[in-house]
Amino acid sequence: MPRTEEQFEAMRIATRDKIHSSAIKLFAKKGFAATSVKDIAKGAGISIGLMYRHYKKKEDLFYELVTYATKGLERLVERFQSEESPVELIQQFTLEILNDLDKDDEYAQFHMLMNQSLTMENQSLQLQNLNKISEELIQQTTRLIEKGQKLGQFREGSPSELALFYFASIQGMTMFKLLKNEQFVTPNIKIVTAFLMKD
């Protein structure tokens, strides 16, 4: 029987997901410049011809991943603007990250990809947007911490410095996850947030 339109769409999405996973892994490990289309296709288990049917250039794929990252950060900024308790918001987000790190390498690889994107010299519109929303996230986290301090939930100290330390600790964990592989032990949420939470 010939395949239906829905089956073709499901196959297309499945192939694109394989390409994304392969690209994230390779971009994180080798960097954008050193990763070839052939590498990505091989990692995805598809032919180069099929790869080119989805993406004409590796830049198109890279910028699509950057756009996904930007949208994810936008959702987080909105989440941190909610009226929920600051301590609850920080704990929920931290726990999600720790669960992702415990599950597999994909979050750490994606995080590494974002870090590389922010340091690239050729700042396309997609990279400029990622830079902008990354700054907004730090600013919003700073305001969230300040609000939590006023409510007596967080320790005293510069809210902006605490926000930077929070994201630096996340970045450090993602790097160690990729460096140590199976030796990496995901820390307890109490350890990760001890610097911020009031006793």
Side-chain angles (χ1 to χ4, degrees), residues 19 26 35 51 53 74 79-80 82 86 88 91 99-100 105 112 122 128 141 145 148 157 162 172 182 188:
I19 293 170
L26 288 164
T35 300
M51 173 77 188
R53 288 221 309 250
E74 285 172 348
R79 188 172 165 189
F80 278 8
S82 77
E88 289 293 326
Q91 284 180 330
N99 287 338
D100 283 342
D105 291 346
M112 188 68 72
N122 181 18
Q128 289 174 33
T141 306
I145 290 172
L162 290 167
E182 279 117 30
N188 185 285

mmCIF file of all heavy atoms in Angstrom, residues 19 26 35 51 53 74 79-80 82 86 88 91 99-100 105 112 122 128 141 145 148 157 162 172 182 188:
data_model
loop_
_atom_site.group_PDB
_atom_site.id
_atom_site.type_symbol
_atom_site.label_atom_id
_atom_site.label_comp_id
_atom_site.label_asym_id
_atom_site.label_seq_id
_atom_site.Cartn_x
_atom_site.Cartn_y
_atom_site.Cartn_z
ATOM 1 N N ILE A 19 18.778 14.073 12.549
ATOM 2 C CA ILE A 19 19.749 15.076 12.095
ATOM 3 C C ILE A 19 20.074 16.044 13.226
ATOM 4 O O ILE A 19 21.237 16.360 13.475
ATOM 5 C CB ILE A 19 19.207 15.842 10.860
ATOM 6 C CG1 ILE A 19 19.106 14.903 9.653
ATOM 7 C CG2 ILE A 19 20.104 17.032 10.526
ATOM 8 C CD1 ILE A 19 18.363 15.499 8.461
ATOM 9 N N LEU A 26 27.759 16.594 17.459
ATOM 10 C CA LEU A 26 28.991 16.910 16.734
ATOM 11 C C LEU A 26 29.415 18.368 16.913
ATOM 12 O O LEU A 26 30.601 18.657 17.091
ATOM 13 C CB LEU A 26 28.820 16.586 15.249
ATOM 14 C CG LEU A 26 28.781 15.091 14.931
ATOM 15 C CD1 LEU A 26 28.215 14.850 13.538
ATOM 16 C CD2 LEU A 26 30.177 14.490 15.046
ATOM 17 N N THR A 35 32.903 20.533 11.886
ATOM 18 C CA THR A 35 31.870 19.531 11.601
ATOM 19 C C THR A 35 31.407 19.666 10.155
ATOM 20 O O THR A 35 31.047 20.753 9.717
ATOM 21 C CB THR A 35 30.665 19.709 12.544
ATOM 22 O OG1 THR A 35 31.100 19.560 13.896
ATOM 23 C CG2 THR A 35 29.590 18.684 12.258
ATOM 24 N N MET A 51 20.202 14.164 3.621
ATOM 25 C CA MET A 51 20.577 15.296 4.477
ATOM 26 C C MET A 51 20.332 16.616 3.739
ATOM 27 O O MET A 51 19.733 17.547 4.280
ATOM 28 C CB MET A 51 22.054 15.156 4.849
ATOM 29 C CG MET A 51 22.639 16.338 5.588
ATOM 30 S SD MET A 51 22.162 16.373 7.319
ATOM 31 C CE MET A 51 22.832 17.976 7.751
ATOM 32 N N ARG A 53 18.296 17.164 1.367
ATOM 33 C CA ARG A 53 16.862 17.402 1.139
ATOM 34 C C ARG A 53 16.244 18.161 2.314
ATOM 35 O O ARG A 53 15.255 18.870 2.149
ATOM 36 C CB ARG A 53 16.136 16.060 0.928
ATOM 37 C CG ARG A 53 16.462 15.433 -0.406
ATOM 38 C CD ARG A 53 15.253 14.808 -1.085
ATOM 39 N NE ARG A 53 14.494 13.892 -0.260
ATOM 40 C CZ ARG A 53 14.443 12.573 -0.449
ATOM 41 N NH1 ARG A 53 15.145 12.002 -1.418
ATOM 42 N NH2 ARG A 53 13.700 11.816 0.306
ATOM 43 N N GLU A 74 13.387 32.113 25.823
ATOM 44 C CA GLU A 74 12.259 33.052 25.905
ATOM 45 C C GLU A 74 11.176 32.505 26.829
ATOM 46 O O GLU A 74 10.596 33.252 27.628
ATOM 47 C CB GLU A 74 11.675 33.300 24.505
ATOM 48 C CG GLU A 74 12.534 34.207 23.638
ATOM 49 C CD GLU A 74 12.032 34.286 22.205
ATOM 50 O OE1 GLU A 74 11.153 33.469 21.825
ATOM 51 O OE2 GLU A 74 12.535 35.145 21.453
ATOM 52 N N ARG A 79 8.578 32.445 32.197
ATOM 53 C CA ARG A 79 8.305 31.647 33.403
ATOM 54 C C ARG A 79 8.815 32.356 34.658
ATOM 55 O O ARG A 79 8.140 32.384 35.684
ATOM 56 C CB ARG A 79 8.997 30.291 33.237
ATOM 57 C CG ARG A 79 8.682 29.275 34.288
ATOM 58 C CD ARG A 79 9.282 27.959 33.843
ATOM 59 N NE ARG A 79 9.351 27.002 34.905
ATOM 60 C CZ ARG A 79 9.984 25.844 34.803
ATOM 61 N NH1 ARG A 79 10.573 25.519 33.671
ATOM 62 N NH2 ARG A 79 10.016 24.995 35.809
ATOM 63 N N PHE A 80 10.005 32.952 34.546
ATOM 64 C CA PHE A 80 10.595 33.658 35.683
ATOM 65 C C PHE A 80 9.892 34.988 35.968
ATOM 66 O O PHE A 80 10.142 35.612 36.987
ATOM 67 C CB PHE A 80 12.089 33.888 35.446
ATOM 68 C CG PHE A 80 12.952 32.689 35.781
ATOM 69 C CD1 PHE A 80 12.400 31.461 36.101
ATOM 70 C CD2 PHE A 80 14.340 32.792 35.778
ATOM 71 C CE1 PHE A 80 13.194 30.364 36.414
ATOM 72 C CE2 PHE A 80 15.145 31.703 36.090
ATOM 73 C CZ PHE A 80 14.568 30.489 36.403
ATOM 74 N N SER A 82 6.605 35.122 36.165
ATOM 75 C CA SER A 82 5.297 34.774 36.731
ATOM 76 C C SER A 82 5.214 35.189 38.198
ATOM 77 O O SER A 82 6.210 35.586 38.805
ATOM 78 C CB SER A 82 5.053 33.267 36.601
ATOM 79 O OG SER A 82 5.778 32.562 37.584
ATOM 80 N N PRO A 86 9.468 32.865 44.070
ATOM 81 C CA PRO A 86 10.817 32.796 43.486
ATOM 82 C C PRO A 86 11.568 31.516 43.838
ATOM 83 O O PRO A 86 12.212 30.911 42.980
ATOM 84 C CB PRO A 86 11.519 34.025 44.069
ATOM 85 C CG PRO A 86 10.417 34.992 44.308
ATOM 86 C CD PRO A 86 9.253 34.155 44.747
ATOM 87 N N GLU A 88 10.318 28.618 44.566
ATOM 88 C CA GLU A 88 9.709 27.497 43.848
ATOM 89 C C GLU A 88 10.157 27.478 42.386
ATOM 90 O O GLU A 88 10.464 26.419 41.837
ATOM 91 C CB GLU A 88 8.177 27.600 43.913
ATOM 92 C CG GLU A 88 7.594 27.302 45.283
ATOM 93 C CD GLU A 88 7.766 25.850 45.696
ATOM 94 O OE1 GLU A 88 7.727 24.965 44.820
ATOM 95 O OE2 GLU A 88 7.960 25.600 46.901
ATOM 96 N N GLN A 91 13.813 26.319 42.196
ATOM 97 C CA GLN A 91 13.926 24.895 42.508
ATOM 98 C C GLN A 91 13.391 24.027 41.369
ATOM 99 O O GLN A 91 14.003 23.019 41.014
ATOM 100 C CB GLN A 91 13.193 24.586 43.817
ATOM 101 C CG GLN A 91 13.963 25.042 45.052
ATOM 102 C CD GLN A 91 13.238 24.728 46.346
ATOM 103 O OE1 GLN A 91 12.005 24.697 46.391
ATOM 104 N NE2 GLN A 91 13.994 24.491 47.401
ATOM 105 N N ASN A 99 17.654 16.663 36.284
ATOM 106 C CA ASN A 99 17.039 15.464 35.704
ATOM 107 C C ASN A 99 17.520 15.238 34.276
ATOM 108 O O ASN A 99 17.783 14.106 33.871
ATOM 109 C CB ASN A 99 15.511 15.567 35.736
ATOM 110 C CG ASN A 99 14.946 15.392 37.140
ATOM 111 O OD1 ASN A 99 15.593 14.807 38.004
ATOM 112 N ND2 ASN A 99 13.757 15.895 37.369
ATOM 113 N N ASP A 100 17.640 16.335 33.502
ATOM 114 C CA ASP A 100 18.142 16.232 32.124
ATOM 115 C C ASP A 100 19.591 15.744 32.100
ATOM 116 O O ASP A 100 19.964 14.919 31.269
ATOM 117 C CB ASP A 100 18.055 17.593 31.408
ATOM 118 C CG ASP A 100 16.635 17.914 30.958
ATOM 119 O OD1 ASP A 100 15.810 16.982 30.877
ATOM 120 O OD2 ASP A 100 16.355 19.093 30.692
ATOM 121 N N ASP A 105 23.193 12.798 27.600
ATOM 122 C CA ASP A 105 24.127 13.901 27.310
ATOM 123 C C ASP A 105 23.494 15.025 26.501
ATOM 124 O O ASP A 105 24.142 16.054 26.282
ATOM 125 C CB ASP A 105 25.330 13.373 26.508
ATOM 126 C CG ASP A 105 26.223 12.468 27.328
ATOM 127 O OD1 ASP A 105 26.078 12.454 28.571
ATOM 128 O OD2 ASP A 105 27.060 11.767 26.731
ATOM 129 N N MET A 112 26.326 23.275 25.445
ATOM 130 C CA MET A 112 27.641 23.565 24.871
ATOM 131 C C MET A 112 27.494 24.259 23.518
ATOM 132 O O MET A 112 28.247 25.193 23.199
ATOM 133 C CB MET A 112 28.434 22.267 24.708
ATOM 134 C CG MET A 112 29.876 22.471 24.294
ATOM 135 S SD MET A 112 30.886 23.257 25.576
ATOM 136 C CE MET A 112 31.019 21.912 26.749
ATOM 137 N N ASN A 122 31.057 35.780 13.676
ATOM 138 C CA ASN A 122 30.058 36.159 12.687
ATOM 139 C C ASN A 122 28.669 36.111 13.323
ATOM 140 O O ASN A 122 28.047 35.059 13.391
ATOM 141 C CB ASN A 122 30.125 35.212 11.480
ATOM 142 C CG ASN A 122 29.119 35.577 10.411
ATOM 143 O OD1 ASN A 122 28.610 36.692 10.387
ATOM 144 N ND2 ASN A 122 28.819 34.639 9.534
ATOM 145 N N GLN A 128 22.434 36.982 17.217
ATOM 146 C CA GLN A 128 22.152 38.232 17.937
ATOM 147 C C GLN A 128 20.941 38.065 18.838
ATOM 148 O O GLN A 128 20.930 38.535 19.981
ATOM 149 C CB GLN A 128 21.918 39.371 16.944
ATOM 150 C CG GLN A 128 23.170 39.834 16.214
ATOM 151 C CD GLN A 128 22.859 40.854 15.135
ATOM 152 O OE1 GLN A 128 21.932 41.660 15.271
ATOM 153 N NE2 GLN A 128 23.609 40.825 14.046
ATOM 154 N N THR A 141 16.519 36.754 36.001
ATOM 155 C CA THR A 141 16.911 35.931 37.155
ATOM 156 C C THR A 141 17.387 36.832 38.288
ATOM 157 O O THR A 141 17.107 36.566 39.462
ATOM 158 C CB THR A 141 18.018 34.931 36.755
ATOM 159 O OG1 THR A 141 17.575 34.177 35.628
ATOM 160 C CG2 THR A 141 18.332 33.975 37.901
ATOM 161 N N ILE A 145 15.749 36.840 41.968
ATOM 162 C CA ILE A 145 16.516 36.659 43.204
ATOM 163 C C ILE A 145 16.284 37.827 44.156
ATOM 164 O O ILE A 145 16.108 37.643 45.369
ATOM 165 C CB ILE A 145 18.023 36.483 42.885
ATOM 166 C CG1 ILE A 145 18.248 35.121 42.202
ATOM 167 C CG2 ILE A 145 18.871 36.605 44.145
ATOM 168 C CD1 ILE A 145 19.650 34.909 41.667
ATOM 169 N N GLY A 148 13.045 37.331 45.766
ATOM 170 C CA GLY A 148 13.154 36.274 46.769
ATOM 171 C C GLY A 148 13.858 36.737 48.029
ATOM 172 O O GLY A 148 13.520 36.297 49.136
ATOM 173 N N GLY A 157 23.078 39.360 49.497
ATOM 174 C CA GLY A 157 24.183 39.464 48.544
ATOM 175 C C GLY A 157 23.706 40.131 47.272
ATOM 176 O O GLY A 157 22.508 40.353 47.082
ATOM 177 N N LEU A 162 24.768 36.766 42.308
ATOM 178 C CA LEU A 162 24.166 35.459 42.608
ATOM 179 C C LEU A 162 23.588 34.821 41.344
ATOM 180 O O LEU A 162 23.719 33.611 41.143
ATOM 181 C CB LEU A 162 23.086 35.612 43.676
ATOM 182 C CG LEU A 162 23.577 35.947 45.095
ATOM 183 C CD1 LEU A 162 22.421 36.376 45.986
ATOM 184 C CD2 LEU A 162 24.307 34.754 45.701
ATOM 185 N N GLY A 172 29.133 24.901 34.373
ATOM 186 C CA GLY A 172 30.195 24.012 34.844
ATOM 187 C C GLY A 172 29.749 22.559 34.885
ATOM 188 O O GLY A 172 30.485 21.659 34.481
ATOM 189 N N GLU A 182 30.352 8.748 32.024
ATOM 190 C CA GLU A 182 29.713 7.917 33.051
ATOM 191 C C GLU A 182 30.216 8.182 34.462
ATOM 192 O O GLU A 182 29.571 7.809 35.440
ATOM 193 C CB GLU A 182 29.930 6.425 32.727
ATOM 194 C CG GLU A 182 28.965 5.889 31.701
ATOM 195 C CD GLU A 182 29.673 5.418 30.444
ATOM 196 O OE1 GLU A 182 30.831 4.970 30.528
ATOM 197 O OE2 GLU A 182 29.063 5.516 29.372
ATOM 198 N N ASN A 188 22.997 16.666 44.127
ATOM 199 C CA ASN A 188 21.690 16.882 44.737
ATOM 200 C C ASN A 188 21.303 18.348 44.586
ATOM 201 O O ASN A 188 22.147 19.231 44.635
ATOM 202 C CB ASN A 188 21.762 16.491 46.226
ATOM 203 C CG ASN A 188 20.424 16.574 46.906
ATOM 204 O OD1 ASN A 188 19.930 17.654 47.203
ATOM 205 N ND2 ASN A 188 19.839 15.417 47.165
#
